[in-house]
Amino acid sequence: MGRYVLRRLVESAVTFVLATIVIFLGVRALPGDPVRALAGEENDPQALAEIRRAYGLDESIVVQYVRYVGRALRGDLGTSARTRLPVAETIGHALPVTLQLAAFAMVVAVLIGLSTGIVASVRRRTASEWAANTVALLGLSIPVFWFGQMVILLFAIAYPVLPASGFVSFFSDPVQSLRHLLLPGLVLGSGLAAVIMRQTRSAMLEALGSDYIRTARAKGLGGAQVVFGHALRNSLIVVTTIVGLQLGALISGVVVTEQIFVVPGFGKLIVDGVLTRDYPMIQGLVLVTATAYIAINLLVDLLYSVIDPRIRVGGAVL
Amino acid sequence: MDALRRAAVLLVLAVTACSSIDSTTPAPSNGPDNRPLKNGGELRVALSAEPDLLDPTLARTLVGRTIFNAICEKLYDVNEKLAIVPQLAAAPPEISGDGKTVTIKLRQGLKFADGTTMDAAAVKTSLDRHRTLKGSARTSELSSVDGVDVVDQATVAIRLKAPFAPLAAVLADRAGMIMSPAALTAQGDKFATNPVCIGPFKFSSRVAQDRIEVVKDPNYYDAAKVHLDKVTYKIIADSSTRFNNLRSGDVEVLDTVAATDVDALKADANLRLLTSASLGYQGITVNIANQNGVGQAPGTLAAPYAGPLAADVKIRQAFELSLDRDAINTVVFRGQFSPACGPISPDSELSSDAAQACPKHDVAAAKSLLSQAGVSIPVKVGMVIGTDAQARRLGEAIQAQVREAGFDVELQPTEFSASLDQTDKGKFQLFQIGWSGRVDPDGNIANFLKTKGSQNISGYSNPDVDSLIDQARATTDTSRRRDLYGQVITKARADGSIIYLYRAKNLLGVSAKIGGVKLFGDGILRFGEAGFAVGS
């Protein structure tokens, strides 16, 4: 177990270093001169040169990279070129917002996905399975930007029961927070719910056809005990993998949802950062996203070994 | 089955929602709004972009000027007729006989938001900071200023290197904003995080990419006229999201309504549309001689950017004659904007018949000019345009119109920042670009048409035009300036370095509950006297 964890940690560290290089070069490959984006409408050569110097953009790329990594390791992600507020502080404000939205969307997705997945596998060839499959298909095929606009039109404009935009922290006002999170959470979670539903259904079908389930039934166990105690538990390994992978995607996938619902989170920062060529901001954001991916993958790998002891045993001899 | 039922209910609701939104209740009048307003309340405003630094010396974005309007007043301002009027100054500037000293009397007893008093020393501190601070965005605007002297507690004298008529207009923008010296000293380079000036509101807080909040300032000299307790500016980049937020009541004011949303906004009884003609213009810049980069001496273009349009003024004139500005306005902008043939707004007191003269759409004349020029038809030319839907529609309209006369325009959609970079370097043939506009026409003309001007990406150079622009800067006589700008525009238009197309409108969506919002030609939103209507 210890060696397995160590090996995964080293792999993660290497991935992290590679990520910083890709992020740094990727941002610089964006078309357009960031100095022009910063200068607004003005085009005075002296002013442009001054901006270039002030942001260290007149240095060579290698010098810029070394400085960037040096500061990043100390937790300093630089200063936003747009607002001149510290990037780390700005991300610090945005990250809890996105995490709350992602967590809420995940809860929505798991509730919808698991329940419809179980129904679809247990009640085969009934209207319930058909309905669950339809929901999954819609969840997968409806684009987020369209779904988002539709729920706003419906629940914020035509029947104004929920706010169209904004965010309130769960920790400051839980009721208002849920009101603000409901629409973006539903939109963000819908695609993931469909994925979870399909995975749950197929894993459950496989489990329900297994010998140990037949044995359990033969021993006289009730339907609920068989489904939840045996089939679902064994199916959860696949579902957990999907949830883990999708949590990373969810954090970066909030880009569209946050734009539509004007949620001041991570996704909105990314879009606005790219539009304004805010190099330090984009670098900081992508670095945090990459770190989140690496950390979540690591976490999921470790969770495997808790849920399924065979992986822990296998890992120990690696 | 439940899921199925839910889906069906949702679908029915969606259809009902769409039909109720499309209702065609007549909009209230956009005329003068004299409803009584109540005190108190928070106004929520959706802005289209994030302002940059909230420091008048360092700020560069146009959207930032709306925030400054609430918290940082200027020595001068413009009124609804775009005439320059004193704001923190007590009277119009007095100009010495040689035109090189401008004396400004200040209002007395005014207090900054931190409670300190504004006096001549504070004005000098601010103007000197605008001129000399490293990274200042005001340096070039104030480049004509040689020094600022404190005459007495309520008077400053600005020494100029040469007479400069647009100075009052410059001081009616960010270069005329006066900051609290105490706050400047206390905050140093962090002033942008907590700006302190004089205004109906004072800065309260800012969350990057989300919101900026300002609250009523009890120290403001006209605080009795301020109705609102607080204004929150929310940043919403997407135009349809902004519009949805206005319709849902999540914001009360929407900056920059998309031309395509205007009809829906007018049809909503709960909303009003405020408009004003923009001071700027949109047009097509022709690369005539930008071989060496903007701001450098013109050269001879090489392939692939050289071509008949750059080489022959007759072909540029043919291109202009083949454009139908009215049709562009109708087709692309649903008639919301106005055709434009020059850089000066017709509302400017320096506008004249010569400045607004416009050739009629004449395909036959265009064809005749092309045949006189002896070029082979079609004349191929590339045009850099933006990447948004409106830019594409405009590009396609231009492409279709000039095809009739014999031009084959290749549209080159390019991301905005990249297009600026590319065209600065002269790597283009035509570029569809505009300018937001300045109160004094010099701001719309000099940098674009003077030889080696900082925005002269055409590489245009005409010594007569240069001389006329300098003369117009040096005289303060309005009728003389009007005449000189008329001459500048007549000559420049004949040379065709910029083909002016249309003048946009500032379009503001406002909840019917709100009164007292002012929108002038400068496009800045003024909420100093705004408030919620009594009974709303």
Side-chain angles (χ1 to χ4, degrees):
Chain A
M1 181 73 180
R3 278 186 61 189
Y4 175 68
V5 172
L6 189 68
R7 187 187 141 158
R8 290 294 295 114
L9 281 174
V10 171
E11 280 173 3
S12 300
V14 173
T15 315
F16 181 80
V17 172
L18 289 174
T20 60
I21 296 174
V22 172
I23 292 161
F24 188 81
L25 295 179
V27 169
R28 270 143 191 84
L30 282 173
D33 184 351
V35 175
R36 275 310 302 262
L38 287 170
E41 274 195 319
E42 306 296 340
N43 199 13
D44 182 44
Q46 226 180 330
L48 295 185
E50 176 59 34
I51 296 173
R52 204 175 297 282
R53 197 202 54 74
Y55 287 96
L57 294 167
D58 54 345
E59 305 274 12
S60 75
I61 277 205
V62 177
V63 173
Q64 289 184 46
Y65 175 74
V66 170
R67 283 197 179 154
Y68 160 65
V69 172
R71 284 200 300 260
L73 287 176
R74 293 195 300 271
D76 175 7
L77 297 175
T79 310
S80 161
R82 183 77 169 179
T83 62
R84 211 165 286 187
L85 298 169
V87 170
E89 186 188 309
T90 305
I91 294 178
H93 284 299
L95 205 52
V97 174
T98 296
L99 287 177
Q100 285 182 48
L101 174 60
F104 186 76
M106 186 60 88
V107 170
V108 170
V110 169
L111 282 179
I112 297 175
L114 268 187
S115 54
T116 49
I118 294 168
V119 168
S121 60
V122 176
R123 306 229 169 131
R124 294 205 64 195
R125 296 184 191 87
T126 63
S128 305
E129 189 197 7
W130 184 82
N133 278 334
T134 307
V135 170
L137 192 67
L138 285 175
L140 279 178
S141 42
I142 293 179
V144 169
F145 63 86
W146 185 84
F147 190 33
Q149 298 281 3
M150 285 303 111
V151 296
I152 288 175
L153 283 176
L154 193 55
F155 298 112
I157 297 176
Y159 301 98
V161 287
L162 291 168
S165 67
F167 174 81
V168 175
S169 170
F170 185 79
F171 305 104
S172 64
D173 185 343
V175 176
Q176 277 305 317
S177 174
L178 288 177
R179 272 172 52 77
H180 281 84
L181 281 176
L182 204 56
L183 294 184
L186 180 70
V187 170
L188 186 58
S190 62
L192 180 55
V195 175
I196 294 176
M197 180 268 168
R198 287 161 65 96
Q199 292 295 337
T200 308
R201 178 177 170 273
S202 62
M204 285 285 287
L205 285 177
E206 196 184 327
L208 287 170
S210 305
D211 290 344
Y212 69 90
I213 294 291
R214 200 169 54 238
T215 309
R217 286 194 202 277
K219 280 165 64 185
L221 284 184
Q225 262 182 305
V226 171
V227 169
F228 294 105
H230 292 271
L232 183 61
R233 183 147 189 230
N234 279 297
S235 307
L236 276 183
I237 186 87
V238 181
V239 177
T240 310
T241 309
I242 295 297
V243 169
L245 286 174
Q246 293 292 321
L247 187 61
L250 214 56
I251 289 176
S252 52
V254 291
V255 169
V256 178
T257 315
E258 288 189 354
Q259 284 292 321
I260 297 171
F261 293 95
V262 201
V263 178
F266 208 70
K268 192 162 181 291
L269 275 187
I270 290 177
V271 174
D272 295 344
V274 171
L275 288 178
T276 53
R277 291 289 177 284
D278 193 342
Y279 274 8
M281 184 61 76
I282 305 170
Q283 278 168 191
L285 290 163
V286 183
L287 187 65
V288 172
T289 310
T291 312
Y293 261 96
I294 294 167
I296 289 166
N297 279 330
L298 182 67
L299 198 66
V300 169
D301 279 356
L302 300 181
L303 266 181
Y304 279 162
S305 57
V306 177
I307 294 175
D308 189 343
R310 285 173 296 182
I311 292 173
R312 186 165 61 220
V313 174
V317 295
L318 282 173
Chain B
M1 202 60 208
D2 274 0
L4 190 66
R5 205 172 294 141
R6 270 201 305 273
V9 169
L10 204 69
L11 190 69
V12 171
L13 284 176
V15 171
T16 340
C18 290
S19 57
S20 72
I21 287 154
D22 285 338
S23 69
T24 48
T25 319
S29 154
N30 285 328
D33 182 6
N34 298 318
R35 290 173 297 168
L37 303 174
K38 56 188 176 191
N39 285 330
E42 176 191 357
L43 183 73
R44 294 162 301 173
V45 182
L47 296 178
S48 58
E50 168 96 17
D52 60 341
L53 299 169
L54 294 181
D55 179 328
T57 305
L58 303 170
R60 294 174 186 277
T61 53
L62 290 172
V63 65
R65 299 199 297 178
T66 281
I67 314 283
F68 285 128
N69 185 268
I71 59 172
C72 284
E73 291 198 340
K74 307 155 284 189
L75 290 172
Y76 294 95
D77 195 10
V78 293
N79 62 15
E80 63 279 12
K81 291 178 181 158
L82 297 176
I84 291 170
V85 291
Q87 192 169 48
L88 298 178
E94 292 162 23
I95 299 162
S96 65
D98 65 355
K100 290 172 76 173
T101 305
V102 178
T103 306
I104 296 174
K105 293 253 183 241
L106 304 170
R107 297 173 68 153
Q108 289 186 277
L110 268 48
K111 285 199 182 329
F112 290 106
D114 60 3
T116 57
T117 305
M118 186 197 83
D119 56 13
V123 173
K124 176 177 164 56
T125 303
S126 285
L127 293 181
D128 284 347
R129 184 174 186 265
H130 289 321
R131 289 170 54 228
T132 58
L133 186 76
K134 218 170 194 180
S136 167
R138 309 280 84 84
T139 313
S140 63
E141 292 162 28
L142 293 171
S143 58
S144 61
V145 177
D146 198 28
V148 181
D149 300 319
V150 173
V151 177
D152 59 45
Q153 211 190 352
T155 315
V156 288
I158 298 175
R159 281 176 280 114
L160 299 177
K161 293 169 189 160
F164 185 63
L167 184 69
V170 167
L171 296 177
D173 200 345
R174 289 162 295 196
M177 289 178 188
I178 307 304
M179 300 158 280
S180 156
L184 286 172
T185 310
Q187 294 176 38
D189 62 357
K190 299 266 186 262
F191 185 78
T193 60
N194 187 18
V196 181
C197 315
I198 296 175
F201 301 93
K202 60 180 178 179
F203 177 81
S204 168
S205 66
R206 175 177 197 172
V207 178
Q209 310 291 4
D210 179 33
R211 61 180 59 217
I212 293 168
E213 295 176 340
V214 300
V215 295
K216 185 174 175 174
D217 180 10
N219 284 315
Y220 183 53
Y221 58 89
D222 242 353
K225 285 188 183 167
V226 181
H227 298 291
L228 295 164
D229 287 338
K230 182 177 179 182
V231 182
T232 299
Y233 301 90
K234 295 169 88 171
I235 321 299
I236 307 181
D238 180 66
S239 63
S240 48
T241 305
R242 272 203 309 281
F243 189 39
N244 280 340
N245 273 265
L246 181 68
R247 290 203 286 182
S248 68
D250 285 73
V251 298
E252 284 85 24
V253 178
L254 182 166
D255 183 21
T256 316
V257 180
T260 43
D261 287 334
V262 166
D263 290 342
L265 195 148
K266 282 180 175 171
D268 193 325
N270 298 318
L271 306 175
R272 292 189 308 142
L273 180 72
L274 299 188
T275 64
S276 67
S278 162
L279 287 171
Y281 62 84
Q282 289 286 326
I284 301 169
T285 300
V286 185
N287 187 359
I288 296 175
N290 180 359
Q291 171 65 17
N292 305 315
V294 68
Q296 305 300 315
T300 306
L301 292 181
Y305 307 111
L309 263 95
D312 191 341
V313 68
K314 279 203 173 100
I315 298 174
R316 296 198 286 277
Q317 286 166 353
F319 193 92
E320 178 168 20
L321 286 168
S322 63
L323 290 167
D324 184 347
R325 293 177 169 89
D326 290 316
I328 288 176
N329 184 33
T330 310
V331 172
V332 184
F333 305 110
R334 302 189 180 194
Q336 295 297 328
F337 297 162
S338 328
C341 291
I344 303 185
S345 161
D347 296 337
S348 166
E349 61 175 358
L350 295 176
S351 175
S352 60
D353 289 346
Q356 302 301 332
C358 201
K360 285 206 159 38
H361 169 55
D362 190 342
V363 178
K367 283 181 174 170
S368 151
L369 278 170
L370 283 183
S371 89
Q372 282 173 38
V375 283
S376 58
I377 306 289
V379 177
K380 290 190 179 233
V381 64
M383 180 161 75
V384 176
I385 59 169
T387 49
D388 58 303
Q390 183 171 291
R392 199 185 58 242
R393 283 202 305 274
L394 176 61
E396 286 167 355
I398 294 168
Q399 190 182 41
Q401 288 181 355
V402 299
R403 188 180 293 137
E404 258 189 279
F407 291 94
D408 179 8
V409 174
E410 181 206 351
L411 299 179
Q412 299 163 340
T414 309
E415 188 275 329
F416 185 63
S417 181
S419 70
L420 295 180
D421 200 20
Q422 182 182 330
T423 53
D424 276 2
K425 291 174 181 152
K427 294 179 176 174
F428 73 107
Q429 289 185 305
L430 302 178
F431 182 26
Q432 196 286 298
I433 180 76
W435 177 244
S436 63
R438 296 291 179 269
V439 171
D440 192 288
D442 181 80
N444 290 7
I445 291 174
N447 287 341
F448 298 86
L449 298 177
K450 272 189 85 166
T451 306
K452 296 205 241 175
S454 65
Q455 307 265 14
N456 183 354
I457 53 171
S458 167
Y460 174 59
S461 175
N462 181 337
D464 291 346
V465 169
D466 292 352
S467 157
L468 288 166
I469 291 173
D470 286 341
Q471 289 175 49
R473 276 182 164 182
T475 176
T476 51
D477 180 70
T478 304
S479 68
R480 174 89 182 115
R481 291 189 79 202
R482 191 181 296 132
D483 175 52
L484 286 164
Y485 283 129
Q487 292 182 51
V488 168
I489 291 166
T490 305
K491 282 185 188 296
R493 287 200 56 254
D495 291 334
S497 67
I498 299 175
I499 298 169
Y500 301 93
L501 286 178
Y502 68 94
R503 193 157 275 117
K505 266 188 190 154
N506 302 306
L507 301 169
L508 191 68
V510 184
S511 159
K513 293 187 290 187
I514 304 297
V517 176
K518 289 181 184 166
L519 177 71
F520 303 157
D522 56 8
I524 295 171
L525 318 187
R526 292 166 159 85
F527 299 123
E529 293 174 17
F532 286 82
V534 172
S536 64

